[in-house]
Amino acid sequence: MIRNRSSYYLLVLLIACIQLQAQAKDYDICIYGGTSAGVIAAYTAAKAGKSVVLVEPGTRLGGMSSGGLGYTDIGNKYVVKGLALDFYRKIGQHYGKFEQWIFEPKVADSIFRDYMRKASIDIVYEHVLSAVEKKGTHIAQILVAPIKGTDGQERAISAHVFIDCSYEGDLMAKSGVSYHVGREDNQVYGETLNGVQLMDGHQFPDGIDPYQIPGDKSSGLLWGINDEVLKANGTGDRKVQAYNFRICLTNNPANRITIEKPRNYDPKRYELLKRWKEKYPWKSLNDVFIWSRMPNNKTDINNRNGFSTDMIGMNWDYPEADYARRQEIIQAHEDYTKGLLYFVGHDPSVPEFIRNEMLAWGYPKDEYTEHGNWSPQLYIREARRMIGEVVMTQHHCQGREVVKDDIGYAAYTMDSHNCDRLVVNGMVKNEGNVEVGGFPPFPISYRSIVPKKTEVSNLLVPVCLSASHIAYGSIRMEPVFMVLSQSAAFAACLAIDGKKAIQDVSAHEIKALWKNNPKGDGRKPDIWINSMERKDVQLTGKWEEEKRGGFGSSYLISTDHSQRSTARFKSSDLSPGNYDIYTYFPKIENSSAQLLYTVFDGKQKTAKTLNLADIKIEGQTSGEWVWLGNYSIKNSEASYVEISNEKASGKIAANSVLFVPKE
């Protein structure tokens, strides 16, 4: 018999602690967030022999890469390596190609699940982070709670190293790491493209009235317009660039589900679209959507122009909201997006030919079957961003500052979607869109994925990494996240093996793992020969350097085919074996219709002509790898691939040669 109330509560507490300890499990590495980055980090760590647990609040792995973003934002394929590249090659195998960057969500989903099947990883679905327990700067364990309405118990997970691969940075934030939400003022890092930016991209034309009764300010603003005064360019704020869904539809009648009127449908939400189109009439669906075609009659639809799939200004509190509030925001975006699709297909203000064009499309029966044929993944373009040991900025993107401890590269345009929609000079305008590129691939610092040592010593953050808003806009691409997460997994293993803080791991150690074990699972590395590495390339004749459009930062072009020019690619890293050999063909003006090449395997020469006119370059890329054949290399020291301008009818590129070992 319990004699007093305090003894009773003490006993209850003791029992709870015993139960919690029984549920707790110790791992080498805990990864929070089953995004594409989370999958790659988990696979890498498990293949290194570490015990790994992956916690995912949802039920689907892969994040945006399996959630609708099939028209991959690449920038320059040079930055995609390791398991990220392996992922796109597995996509290619599915479609009968070497690599494929345009794909259906279900194909990506199957590949991510296959990675997990091939590694010994505990996966905890439908649990969200509830607490972090630290001892000094060391995360001792985390508590994850089941999502409301699901079966399960709160779990305690302890690990030597934690990796936050979520789009939101929840583990980072609850661990006491410094971070930023929104846009820094330009003055913070001496930038020019941060903060408020009123530009022409994805913008309303002049003259679109913002008021419910045109010309009558007292009638109030139309839905979706913020009642705020535009601040000076470069002013910092906490506004977050717009989110949307990357929409997968199909026009295959046998696989199509009709787009019905969604719940909470309100045509007034699309009044701005009506007013815009009254002044600038519809021509096609591409007026309002980036309608990218996917295999098997499907789409990856993205935002375009002034009014589209971006729900501008409706996501500002998402980064720091709790799970329940985030679900409300996600549902609001789903309602808005489905409503937009229904509006375009049914509203009488839309011309009949556009409505008919829209009605040819519907939700695919074979996609997101576990989620009502709609993506469960909202495109969280940006949320929290860590303030780590190094902050990547516009200066790094444009090459004015170059880090030496690189563990990955970025190459995409500095890109931000609009952050706000307001009234400027009596007209509706979007604010925040930035698209500035024209720079080569740039290195990303290891110190940008680790917190300050005084804050947390066993956490890596490869997704919500340390970068200014505008630099993050270049880095925040799915292939780059995968590369950075593989580097994070390498670093976690090195920290565990060396019994040291992750800040004490050397980038040189990480680079050594990249060189010797790029896929993280012991498979042989590719041998890449770059035309700009003169020790590996012997030149004759006349060649000019070109910095745009190739694989890597630059490459060579022969523009004068009146004299014979050759580029002979050899590598000291090549060993005897069986290889598929490729050369990179960049999209260049006035290209020759054919290319003469010779392969010497060490014993025999094979000369062939490649028909360049047949090469099709698809997606957001400037070129493609072209297969030259499968060869058995007998003598690695003597072997070479030679490209010649002989019989050329225009420019010839000597960019790169790739030897891919046959497993």
Side-chain angles (χ1 to χ4, degrees), residues 66-182:
S66 65
L69 205 168
Y71 199 81
T72 309
D73 300 312
I74 307 169
N76 189 313
K77 289 178 181 176
Y78 168 75
V79 309
V80 187
K81 61 181 182 177
L83 287 169
L85 184 56
D86 184 63
F87 169 76
Y88 293 104
R89 287 187 182 170
K90 289 182 186 298
I91 295 282
Q93 290 170 15
H94 177 86
Y95 293 110
K97 297 180 179 180
F98 175 45
E99 297 170 358
Q100 176 81 348
W101 308 83
I102 300 173
F103 52 88
E104 301 158 87
K106 69 176 186 179
V107 175
D109 176 56
S110 68
I111 291 171
F112 286 127
R113 286 188 284 108
D114 191 54
Y115 278 123
M116 295 297 93
R117 279 194 296 267
K118 291 179 178 178
S120 180
I121 298 165
D122 288 347
I123 305 177
V124 180
Y125 289 109
E126 297 186 297
H127 278 66
V128 295
L129 184 68
S130 58
V132 174
E133 180 185 319
K134 289 172 65 179
K135 294 181 179 178
T137 61
H138 186 85
I139 300 173
Q141 68 174 14
I142 65 172
L143 299 181
V144 292
I147 293 170
K148 186 178 180 181
T150 62
D151 294 331
Q153 295 178 316
E154 187 173 66
R155 294 183 53 172
I157 299 172
S158 60
H160 296 289
V161 177
F162 293 80
I163 306 177
D164 188 341
C165 287
S166 69
Y167 292 125
E168 296 85 2
D170 289 341
L171 178 54
M172 170 192 72
K174 284 187 179 294
S175 301
V177 174
S178 300
Y179 63 87
H180 189 89
V181 174

Side-chain angles (χ1 to χ4, degrees), residues 250-461:
T250 182
N251 63 356
N252 176 6
N255 193 34
R256 183 180 63 202
I257 299 171
T258 301
I259 297 172
E260 303 286 356
K261 182 188 295 186
R263 69 172 197 167
N264 302 325
Y265 177 69
D266 183 357
K268 292 180 182 178
R269 293 179 177 178
Y270 313 105
E271 181 65 27
L272 273 174
L273 176 58
K274 288 174 62 174
R275 291 195 184 177
W276 167 30
K277 285 304 171 188
E278 285 170 359
K279 286 182 173 288
Y280 298 87
W282 283 91
K283 295 179 181 178
S284 76
L285 289 175
N286 286 290
D287 291 358
V288 176
F289 308 98
I290 297 179
W291 204 278
S292 301
R293 296 297 185 103
M294 296 292 106
N296 296 316
N297 302 98
K298 294 176 185 173
T299 65
D300 170 5
I301 299 171
N302 198 8
N303 183 82
R304 168 168 277 159
N305 291 328
F307 192 99
S308 184
T309 61
D310 278 359
M311 203 174 177
I312 299 171
M314 306 295 180
N315 62 329
W316 294 346
D317 61 342
Y318 180 93
E320 300 200 90
D322 62 17
Y323 179 80
R325 174 60 182 138
R326 284 179 182 168
Q327 292 306 115
E328 292 175 357
I329 295 170
I330 292 169
Q331 186 61 57
H333 280 72
E334 181 177 336
D335 291 344
Y336 166 80
T337 309
K338 288 181 174 179
L340 175 62
L341 298 175
Y342 182 83
F343 178 90
V344 174
H346 294 85
D347 196 87
S349 68
V350 179
E352 185 178 9
F353 77 97
I354 295 293
R355 281 183 275 142
N356 290 336
E357 189 178 351
M358 184 71 242
L359 292 173
W361 296 87
Y363 308 122
K365 294 177 183 177
D366 61 345
E367 295 288 357
Y368 314 120
T369 55
E370 79 289 359
H371 198 258
N373 307 102
W374 181 261
S375 175
Q377 181 62 65
L378 182 64
Y379 194 176
I380 310 303
R381 289 191 172 89
E382 189 173 1
R384 299 180 178 101
R385 299 187 311 280
M386 180 169 64
I387 303 174
E389 304 237 322
V390 164
V391 178
M392 303 297 297
T393 70
Q394 179 182 342
H395 305 296
H396 295 104
C397 299
Q398 296 178 322
R400 289 184 292 275
E401 294 182 23
V402 180
V403 301
K404 301 298 183 184
D405 60 335
D406 53 286
I407 41 85
Y409 276 71
Y412 203 74
T413 295
M414 286 182 287
D415 174 84
S416 173
H417 281 231
N418 280 302
C419 302
D420 201 0
R421 177 177 286 153
L422 32 66
V423 179
V424 180
N425 297 325
M427 304 175 288
V428 61
K429 290 292 179 182
N430 296 332
E431 181 275 308
N433 185 83
V434 180
E435 298 168 80
V436 177
F439 44 83
F442 63 91
I444 301 169
S445 170
Y446 174 59
R447 290 165 292 165
S448 73
I449 71 167
V450 301
K452 296 171 182 175
K453 195 172 183 179
T454 55
E455 294 179 342
V456 182
S457 57
N458 64 331
L459 173 69
L460 294 117
V461 187

Side-chain angles (χ1 to χ4, degrees), residues 610-622:
L610 185 65
N611 189 348
L612 299 175
D614 290 343
I615 299 171
K616 187 177 181 181
I617 299 173
E618 297 180 308
Q620 294 193 39
T621 180
S622 59

